[in-house]
Amino acid sequence: MRYLSILLLGYVQFGFSCTDIFINKTPFHITARTLDFPLKLYTQSFETYSWYQKIFQTDINLTHITSRAFSFYTGYLDVENTTNLIANRDKVPEDNLAHWQNKYGFFGRLGFIGYTLTDGINTQGVSIAALYLPGSVYPKYNPHDPRPALGIYDLSNFILGMANSTQDALKLIMQYQLVESAMYATSGLYIKDIPLHIVIRDKTGHSAVIEFIDGKTVIYDHATNVLTNAPDYEWQIKNLTHYKTLSDKDAKASLPFAHFIPDYKTVIKYAQPEDAGLLGMPGDYTSVSRFVRASILTRESPTPQNTNQALYQAKTILSSVTVPYYEATATLWQSIKDLDNKRIYYRDLLYYDRDRIKQNTLNNGFVEYDLTKMDFTAHTPEQLNSGLKITPEDQISGVLSINDIPGLNDAKNLGFN
């Protein structure tokens, strides 16, 4: 197996600049997220597509859009899985690789075109979402740790297949050493060092964030209702305290921000009281501002009276952090997960079509997938063989670090601020 360090043709921008929110107001538990992605994934010449173009191209007919990346994936009951590390696999004895059999059915969306979930829900009302976190450094395999090795990019599949709650997921994770791995790209090529952090939520309202800082796994149990990107979660929580006075219930709540707002008195004079109390809430699309804005809006939203109101809140707050189509990046799709009723809704906004970015039509809204009506029993040979498995050595042409690709190793080039 070769570890590749190559120069790609042209200039590329790459990165998941996403937002995840949680309407966590008993008895309603609705989680929602955006998947934001760079728009310049192609070379200057369209004559020959490179590997990243092939990944993200879209198959289109009159009624359905299917991306090769972000395709849907179903996890079936009792299907066998073995973690597929790829990265540094020669350093991990095969008998010390994590192996599991799905206890629960699950459904979600993949990242790239392999079997790595970036978003999903299981039949127990557990949600998983992977978001970009520049600066992440993954743990390496420790031969002195007796616990089996579980690849970090397989963690979403593992949690949804095995955990009936966030607490259960955290207990299961402690039984394994989480180690660096790689995602399948195309034609035997795998990508490693894609920096992610993960949020787990469940139907009881329990959330946890998992990050990988300086080669160590850091778990924030009982996390808040919002996650975005860099800086790390701990920094975002500290920064949020600067906005703690803002409230739609007090018109004077924005006074600490008066000196930042031009002609504050005039703005206040013509503002509705509930709007005046939120003056100072950031409105741009940086990760920090999206974290603050989504946190305030989820906090200030009233307790829903029914599920439809809870879904409406999730949809409207999601719209406030949905990145419009501009030069660097944009929101490709949104998801909303009703953890109480085991339903997931997906909405595609943009898609890649050869050398163009195209917008989905306005009459293509959210599509519902009801897990209570889905059959998670594996019947066909393809379903029975759909679990994660070790890739044979002769099917790996190389492992490419995302840090070795020009334009990808600087967070500012990835659509982040």
Side-chain angles (χ1 to χ4, degrees), residues 81-100 139-155 158 172-182 212 217 388-390:
N81 297 269
T82 301
T83 194
N84 189 27
L85 298 184
I86 302 297
N88 296 321
R89 57 180 286 175
D90 54 329
K91 297 180 180 179
V92 185
E94 190 167 323
D95 60 1
N96 205 34
L97 294 173
H99 177 83
W100 69 95
K140 297 186 181 300
Y141 175 70
N142 179 4
H144 303 294
D145 187 338
R147 297 177 298 171
L150 174 60
I152 288 164
Y153 297 147
D154 296 337
L155 188 56
F158 172 77
L172 287 167
I173 289 171
M174 297 304 295
Q175 299 173 20
Y176 298 84
Q177 53 170 311
L178 304 183
V179 300
E180 62 177 342
S181 55
F212 305 95
T217 300
L388 301 174
K389 55 185 63 65
I390 301 172

Side-chain angles (χ1 to χ4, degrees), residues 268-283:
I268 286 293
K269 178 180 177 181
Y270 292 101
Q272 294 293 330
E274 61 271 20
D275 298 330
L278 295 179
L279 274 173
M281 180 175 70

Side-chain angles (χ1 to χ4, degrees), residues 54 94 148 152 209 211 230 242 244 269 281 358 366 407:
K54 295 176 183 177
E94 190 167 323
I152 288 164
V209 169
E211 295 187 340
H242 297 303
K244 63 183 179 181
K269 178 180 177 181
M281 180 175 70
K358 292 188 176 181
F366 282 96

Side-chain angles (χ1 to χ4, degrees), residues 9-11 42-47 52:
L9 298 175
Y11 175 71
Y42 38 79
T43 63
Q44 295 178 353
S45 171
F46 298 106
E47 297 299 321
Y52 48 87

Side-chain angles (χ1 to χ4, degrees), residues 255-279:
L255 279 174
F257 295 87
H259 60 291
F260 294 113
I261 299 171
D263 202 358
Y264 174 79
K265 290 183 179 179
T266 300
V267 176
I268 286 293
K269 178 180 177 181
Y270 292 101
Q272 294 293 330
E274 61 271 20
D275 298 330
L278 295 179
L279 274 173

